């Protein structure tokens, strides 16, 4: 083999290597880009909320003095802890321990489900509706839009759980699980900001 | 030598070329080839260009006389709303995405976009949005009448009381095109960041690719804000929340902020790829490197950043506090700087070059001249004291049509002619192309120049009838408008006949310097047999430096080109 050929072969090997690595990383990169973009929707809702709240003279609808904070606080603790639980699930998958993965994924889903349940209970007991002025509209918009994200997260988790039942699915990488867990952390962070805006800043 | 290369399997390469007329059927399938998708985008949006153009003809027909005699005012409102919406969301955005789709992977030496299936889904949402928008002609009450910006409280009117009305369909159509754009943006950004071929460092990446990247980054940070606003508008309209409804305690100005936070940067989503096209076309046809390539490339990103902080210049007259006006006036002047730098670079590129006045070159030069004019009126509008006088007059309409038709549509035509041989493998008819340019250029001046004096005289926009004193300029504008309508005829004739009958073009008919010219015309399914290794910055005209280390398509492309360093590595190891 001439040196020229050796160089050419070397280049080709390098090319292939980069290509493979890139193909694996593309999805992750793309998903992060998507989440960053998605966060701007929330950011614009938050900005809207702050502007409305600081500029509206009678913020709460008649007969409403504020929001009850105890149950939402419990809900918050549950949702935030579930972020750690899904992290543990991911670690189990990383070590190829499928049962641990499933168990902790189910726990995450249960905690997410509890959060949605708590949200539903709160909604049904509130003395105002989405038509009760700006406050009413924004409260339901923000919690509802976030709730939809929680729901999507649970659906994603269910899909990942289902996929784990078929052998071989997670043998070469598990981007879907990484994305699901990233999404879940994202939903969590958004909730923490929301909790601050809606419940702590009254 | 052992064959470990990434060569495309023979079976794949043996497939007929996408784009060849004999397999037109593939354009109606869910293809994931970026080149097929690119053509699907371009052709679909050109169809909508014709629809939006037909509405424009009716609008100009109405305005050729001072009275509202051709159509009634309601229909007039619906038509200008649909005209603007179609031209932006179904023509300019998607056609540029189509060009980017076709060209970016070729220019960066990739085999496809990062997410081919997502790409196809993004495309197929465009016809869906189009059908939804068109369907609003059929619902009681007709299409939305609140203009392309859908300001409340006008957009919150629902005289028929139906849940499905023109405005709701409008919001849904725009939302679908928005989702498509976001998915496209994720795809482009990932592709450009991660799939440039080895050796293609940032400052070896063509200016067009930089421009597409800059534009798509804007989509990512801007579009979600409009989405947020649109969701709130939809809720106001359908379930009776009060976000933007003044009669229910809402704040309509906030909608304007949401809208313009995206829609000002959105004009750069459209103009940046046009800038990129100028930067590609000029060097080829002037046989000179792009002057100040690095600065031109990086200034695109500068525009991405600054254009996120200028939106309130559309709201000087919206009870905006003086300090805000002041701030946004300064940023608006700032954003003109990178654009000015680019114009300087283009002029210096052409200066002293061996210019070939081909159709793409004519469109590029014409487009730049129009952009210069629009930039100057833009500076006028950006300054508060002038804008307060001409806001919502025909001056604004003149300004943005100089950008959107004068510069961007011209750039799109320049791109289509320039890459036509690559896309179809055939040459277009130069004579018809030049006729198209002449008609379009004269038509642009006749139609849009008169709008400036009209605006200065005080003629408001969005009216079906006007005072007699405005008649003179309006007649000229209408005649020019009809000329623009006529100008599409030689274009269509040219495209259809040369695609079928045109002379075979060869791989690199312009003797251009770029990766896309190192493939067959049209390129095979996966573009490159071997991923090219880039060894030079782009635009090496007259510099005798090869672009790539070895031939990326050794089976189909002759090695003799001035683009390849290593002639014939070894005898083919079959
Ligand atoms: C030097 C660059 C530019 C400056 C300084 C500028 C400035 C402005 C200003 C201040 C307005 C608001 C006028 C008013 O409503 O009273 C305006 C309107 C507009 N501009 Fe520009 N502009 C520039 C470039 C562009 C570009 C590149 C595009 C399109 C690709 C564009 C499209 C528009 C459109 C569509 C409107 C009207 C929006 C509407 O009212 O419906 N402009 N421009
Ligand atoms: Cu603007």
């Amino acid at each position: 083999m001439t040196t020229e050929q050796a160089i050419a072969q070397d280049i080709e090997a390098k090319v292939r290597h980069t290509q493979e690595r890139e193909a694996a990383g593309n999805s992750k990169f793309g998903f992060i880009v998507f989440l960053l973009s998605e966060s701007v929707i929330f950011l614009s809702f938050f900005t809207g909320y702050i502007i409305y709240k600081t500029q509206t003279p009678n913020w709460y609808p008649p007969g409403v003095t504020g929001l009850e904070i105890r149950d939402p606080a419990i809900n918050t603790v549950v949702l935030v802890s579930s972020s750690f639980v899904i992290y543990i699930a991911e670690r189990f998958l990383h070590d190829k321990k499928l049962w641990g993965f499933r168990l902790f994924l189910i726990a995450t889903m249960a905690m997410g489900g509890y959060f949605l349940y708590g949200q539903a209970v709160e909604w049904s007991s509130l003395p105002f509706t989405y038509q009760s002025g700006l406050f009413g509209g924004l409260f339901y918009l923000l919690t509802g839009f976030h709730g939809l994200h929680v729901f999507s997260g649970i659906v994603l988790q269910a899909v990942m759980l289902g996929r784990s039942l078929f052998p071989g699915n997670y043998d070469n990488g598990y981007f879907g699980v990484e994305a699901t867990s990233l999404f879940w952390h994202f939903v969590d962070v958004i909730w923490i900001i929301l909790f601050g805006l809606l419940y702590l800043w009254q | 030598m052992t064959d470990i290369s990434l060569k495309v399997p023979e079976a794949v390469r043996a497939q007929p070329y996408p784009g060849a007329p004999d397999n037109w059927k593939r354009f109606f399938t869910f293809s994931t080839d970026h080149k097929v998708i690119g053509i699907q985008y371009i052709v679909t949006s050109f169809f909508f260009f014709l629809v939006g153009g037909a509405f424009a003809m009716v609008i100009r027909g109405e305005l050729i006389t001072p009275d509202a005699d051709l159509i009634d005012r309601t229909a007039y409102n619906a038509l200008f709303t649909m005209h603007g919406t179609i031209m932006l969301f179904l023509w300019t955005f998607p056609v540029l995405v189509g060009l980017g789709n076709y060209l970016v992977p070729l220019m960066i030496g990739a085999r496809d976009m990062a997410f081919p299936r997502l790409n196809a889904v993004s495309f197929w949402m465009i016809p869906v949005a189009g059908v939804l928008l068109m369907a609003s002609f059929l619902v009681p009450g007709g299409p939305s009448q609140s203009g392309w910006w859908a300001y409340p409280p006008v957009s919150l009117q629902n005289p028929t009381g139906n849940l499905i009305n023109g405005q709701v369909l409008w919001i849904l159509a725009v939302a679908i095109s928005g989702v498509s754009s976001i998915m496209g943006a994720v795809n482009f950004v990932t592709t450009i960041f991660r799939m440039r071929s080895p050796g293609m460092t940032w400052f070896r990446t063509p200016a067009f690719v930089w421009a597409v990247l800059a534009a798509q980054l804007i989509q990512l940070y801007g579009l979600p804000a409009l989405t947020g606003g649109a969701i709130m508008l939809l809720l106001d309209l359908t379930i009776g929340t009060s976000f933007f409804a003044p009669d229910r305690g809402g704040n309509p100005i906030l909608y304007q902020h949401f809208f313009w936070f995206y829609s000002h940067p959105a004009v750069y989503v459209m103009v940046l790829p046009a800038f990129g096209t100028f930067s590609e076309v000029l060097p080829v046809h002037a046989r000179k490197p792009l002057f100040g390539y690095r600065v031109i490339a990086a200034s695109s990103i500068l525009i991405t950043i600054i254009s996120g902080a200028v939106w309130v210049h559309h709201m000087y007259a919206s009870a905006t506090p003086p300090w805000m006006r002041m701030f946004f006036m300064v940023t608006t002047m700032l954003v003109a700087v990178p654009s000015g730098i680019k114009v300087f670079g283009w002029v210096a590129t052409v200066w002293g070059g061996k210019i070939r006045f081909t159709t793409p070159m004519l469109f590029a030069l014409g487009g730049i001249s129009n952009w210069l004019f629009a930039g100057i009126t833009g500076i006028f509008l950006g300054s508060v004291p002038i804008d307060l006088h001409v806001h919502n007059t025909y001056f604004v309409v003149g300004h943005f049509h100089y950008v959107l038709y004068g510069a961007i549509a011209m750039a799109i035509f320049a791109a289509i002619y320039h890459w036509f041989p690559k896309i179809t493998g055939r040459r277009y008819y130069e004579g018809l192309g030049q006729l198209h340019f002449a008609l379009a250029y004269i038509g642009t001046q006749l139609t849009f120049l008169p709008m400036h004096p009209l605006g200065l005289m005080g003629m408001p926009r969005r009216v079906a009838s006007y005072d007699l004193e405005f008649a003179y300029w309006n007649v000229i504008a209408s005649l020019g408008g009809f000329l623009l309508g006529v100008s599409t005829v030689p274009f269509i004739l040219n495209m259809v006949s040369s695609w079928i009958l045109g002379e075979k073009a060869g791989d690199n008919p312009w003797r251009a310097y770029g990766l896309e010219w190192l493939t067959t015309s049209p390129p095979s399914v996966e573009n490159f047999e071997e991923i090219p290794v880039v060894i030079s910055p782009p635009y090496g005209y007259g510099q005798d430096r090869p672009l790539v280390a070895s031939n990326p398509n050794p089976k189909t492309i002759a090695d003799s080109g001035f683009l390849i360093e290593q002639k014939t590595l070894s005898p083919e190891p079959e």
Side-chain angles (χ1 to χ4, degrees):
Chain A
M1 196 159 71
T2 67
T3 17
E4 265 187 0
Q5 281 173 334
I7 293 172
Q9 210 174 32
D10 190 44
I11 290 179
E12 282 193 356
K14 272 193 193 127
V15 168
R16 188 169 64 159
H17 185 66
T18 13
Q19 288 289 311
E20 275 172 358
R21 214 186 43 220
E22 291 192 354
N26 280 352
S27 310
K28 202 164 173 183
F29 184 93
F31 193 72
I32 292 174
V33 170
F34 168 76
L35 278 188
L36 285 176
S37 179
E38 179 83 357
S39 67
V40 180
I41 298 191
F42 283 105
L43 223 59
S44 50
F45 283 156
F46 295 160
T47 318
Y49 182 85
I50 293 169
I51 292 172
Y52 278 128
K53 172 149 180 158
T54 49
Q55 293 189 352
T56 310
N58 298 315
W59 182 234
Y60 292 114
V64 180
T65 48
L67 289 165
E68 171 62 48
I69 192 169
R70 198 185 59 108
D71 290 349
I74 298 174
N75 241 351
T76 307
V77 173
V78 172
L79 192 66
V80 172
S81 332
S82 72
S83 240
F84 295 97
V85 178
I86 200 171
Y87 173 75
I88 299 172
E90 216 184 327
R91 295 313 304 169
F92 270 114
L93 186 61
H94 178 83
D95 301 337
K96 304 249 185 270
K97 296 188 179 126
L98 274 180
W99 274 111
F101 166 69
R102 289 181 195 130
L103 197 69
F104 277 82
L105 198 61
I106 292 172
T108 314
M109 290 165 67
M111 292 164 98
Y114 177 82
F115 176 88
L116 285 184
Y117 168 75
Q119 186 95 70
V121 170
E122 190 193 6
W123 273 23
S124 58
S125 64
L126 288 173
F128 56 88
T129 71
Y130 53 79
Q131 290 180 332
S132 312
L134 285 170
F135 172 74
L138 283 164
F139 176 83
Y140 284 99
L141 173 71
L142 288 174
T143 52
F145 195 63
H146 176 264
L148 272 181
H149 280 74
V150 176
F151 180 73
S152 319
I154 297 177
V155 171
L156 282 177
Q157 289 157 10
V159 173
M160 291 307 133
L161 185 67
R163 287 190 53 187
S164 79
L165 300 177
F166 297 92
N169 262 343
Y170 294 132
D171 283 356
N172 324 304
Y174 43 92
F175 160 72
V177 175
E178 281 178 308
T180 306
S181 131
L182 207 60
F183 185 75
W184 198 245
H185 300 319
F186 167 77
V187 169
D188 239 19
V189 172
I190 296 289
W191 177 257
I192 294 173
I193 303 174
L194 256 184
F195 185 73
L197 282 179
L198 287 175
Y199 295 94
L200 299 181
W201 180 36
Q202 294 215 14
Chain B
M1 145 184 181
T2 42
D3 190 24
I4 56 153
S5 78
L6 299 157
K7 282 179 185 154
V8 186
E10 229 23 84
V12 176
R13 219 177 318 137
Q15 285 177 19
Y17 292 143
D22 53 17
N23 63 8
W24 53 271
K25 284 194 188 115
R26 72 166 50 210
F27 295 114
F28 295 88
T29 62
F30 190 82
S31 168
T32 54
D33 180 345
H34 73 98
K35 298 183 290 301
V36 175
I37 295 176
I39 294 171
Q40 286 174 324
Y41 262 113
I42 294 170
V43 174
T44 310
S45 39
F46 185 73
F47 167 77
F48 284 114
F49 178 66
L50 295 180
V51 176
F55 294 168
M57 296 300 105
V58 181
I59 292 173
R60 281 319 319 175
E62 170 67 78
L63 293 177
I64 202 165
T65 58
D67 295 327
D69 36 19
L70 184 63
I71 48 176
D72 68 42
R73 290 169 202 282
T74 317
Y76 185 85
N77 292 347
L79 278 187
F80 75 66
T81 301
M82 295 301 263
H83 164 76
T85 308
I86 289 174
M87 286 304 196
L88 292 170
F89 294 107
L90 295 173
W91 154 246
T92 312
F93 281 115
V95 76
L96 291 169
V97 169
L99 284 171
N101 238 304
Y102 198 98
L103 293 171
V104 165
L106 285 170
M107 283 181 163
I108 64 175
R111 297 220 161 99
D112 206 323
M113 299 280 283
F115 309 114
R117 252 176 309 156
L118 189 71
N119 203 14
V121 175
S122 314
F123 163 70
W124 282 103
M125 294 178 91
I126 297 297
V128 173
V131 168
L132 213 55
L133 197 65
M134 293 299 157
S136 64
F137 277 101
L138 305 176
V139 298
S144 155
Q145 298 181 40
S146 54
W148 80 280
W149 55 21
Y151 274 11
V154 178
S155 54
L156 293 180
Q157 312 298 315
N158 183 5
T160 60
N162 294 340
L163 182 62
I164 303 296
N165 56 56
Q167 189 67 49
V168 166
L169 290 178
W170 184 94
I171 296 177
L172 292 180
V174 170
I176 291 177
S177 104
V179 174
S180 152
S181 296
I182 291 277
M183 297 193 314
V186 168
N187 213 342
F188 274 115
V189 170
T190 309
T191 306
I192 295 172
F193 262 92
R194 301 189 46 94
M195 292 176 65
R196 280 169 297 128
S197 66
M200 183 172 273
T201 56
W202 281 113
F203 282 121
R204 285 185 187 166
T205 305
F208 181 81
V209 178
W210 277 85
V212 170
L213 175 67
Q216 298 298 327
L217 286 173
I218 293 180
Q219 296 283 45
L220 288 172
Y221 80 68
L223 203 45
L226 177 64
T227 311
I231 291 175
M232 291 159 83
L233 190 68
L234 189 66
L235 294 177
D236 276 5
L237 190 61
T238 50
I239 66 167
T241 53
S242 54
F243 304 118
F244 304 132
D247 52 337
R248 286 174 253 153
N251 179 354
I253 302 288
L254 198 62
Y255 175 82
Q256 299 188 13
H257 282 286
F258 280 134
F259 181 82
W260 288 113
F261 180 77
Y262 170 61
S263 294
H264 174 79
V267 308
Y268 286 98
V269 175
M270 297 182 273
V271 88
L272 279 166
F275 288 171
T277 304
F278 296 149
S279 301
E280 296 300 321
V281 170
L282 294 183
V284 176
H285 299 270
R287 313 309 300 168
K288 273 180 65 189
L290 181 63
F291 184 88
Y293 151 65
R294 287 171 173 235
V295 180
I296 287 194
S299 67
S300 296
I301 302 293
L302 202 61
I303 289 179
T304 301
I305 297 167
I306 308 179
S307 70
V310 302
W311 76 94
V312 177
H313 67 215
H314 295 271
M315 299 169 55
Y316 290 148
S318 303
T320 304
W323 67 266
M324 236 193 211
R325 287 180 182 168
M326 215 44 208
F327 175 82
F328 283 96
M329 179 160 109
V330 172
T331 54
T332 300
M333 302 294 153
L334 271 182
V335 81
V337 173
S339 313
I341 292 175
K342 284 182 191 256
V343 174
F344 179 77
W346 295 325
V347 173
T349 304
V350 180
W351 203 264
K354 274 191 273 175
I355 303 181
R356 303 188 293 210
F357 286 103
T358 54
T359 309
M361 187 62 166
L362 290 173
F363 270 108
L365 293 173
I368 292 172
S369 71
N370 288 331
W371 162 247
L372 201 61
F373 184 79
I376 293 171
T377 55
I379 299 284
F380 279 44
L381 291 170
S383 101
V384 177
I386 300 178
D387 185 65
L388 288 181
H389 281 281
V390 292
H391 175 64
N392 257 344
T393 68
Y394 259 87
F395 193 87
V396 177
V397 182
H399 157 73
F400 69 73
H401 278 94
Y402 259 87
V403 194
L404 287 164
Y405 204 110
I408 299 175
M410 296 257 173
I412 293 165
F413 289 130
I416 291 178
Y417 283 109
H418 181 72
W419 282 289
F420 186 83
K422 180 51 61 185
I423 296 174
T424 63
R426 295 178 186 265
R427 301 203 132 207
Y428 61 84
Y429 297 114
E430 194 59 53
L432 275 177
Q434 300 197 355
L435 176 67
H436 175 206
F437 171 72
L439 295 178
Y441 195 78
I442 298 169
T444 303
Q445 315 306 326
L446 282 182
T447 315
F448 303 123
L449 201 60
M451 294 183 179
H452 296 83
L454 280 174
L456 293 174
M457 287 158 74
M459 177 172 167
R461 62 193 283 201
R462 296 177 173 162
V463 287
S465 60
Y466 51 80
D467 212 77
L468 207 54
E469 60 169 325
F470 302 130
Y472 174 74
W473 290 114
N474 268 305
V475 172
I476 299 181
S478 285
L479 294 177
F482 301 145
L483 193 62
L484 275 183
V486 172
S487 76
T488 48
V489 174
F491 176 68
I492 298 171
L493 274 182
N494 202 352
M495 292 297 114
V496 174
S497 58
S498 4
W499 199 333
I500 299 171
L501 300 171
E503 186 190 328
K504 286 261 189 293
D507 304 329
N508 189 358
W510 304 121
R511 284 186 60 73
Y513 191 92
L515 287 181
E516 76 269 32
W517 303 104
L518 279 169
T519 60
T520 49
S521 306
S524 59
V525 171
E526 297 213 315
N527 304 339
F528 302 103
E529 294 164 37
E530 291 160 23
I531 294 297
V533 178
V534 176
I535 55 173
S536 300
Y539 315 111
Y541 296 99
Q543 298 190 338
D544 195 26
R545 55 177 162 83
L547 177 64
V548 292
S550 61
N551 190 345
N553 278 314
K555 293 235 176 71
T556 47
I557 301 280
D559 250 351
S560 55
F562 58 106
L563 295 166
I564 302 166
E565 183 177 55
Q566 221 162 348
K567 313 292 179 210
T568 328
L569 261 174
S570 59
E572 266 308 308
E574 284 306 322

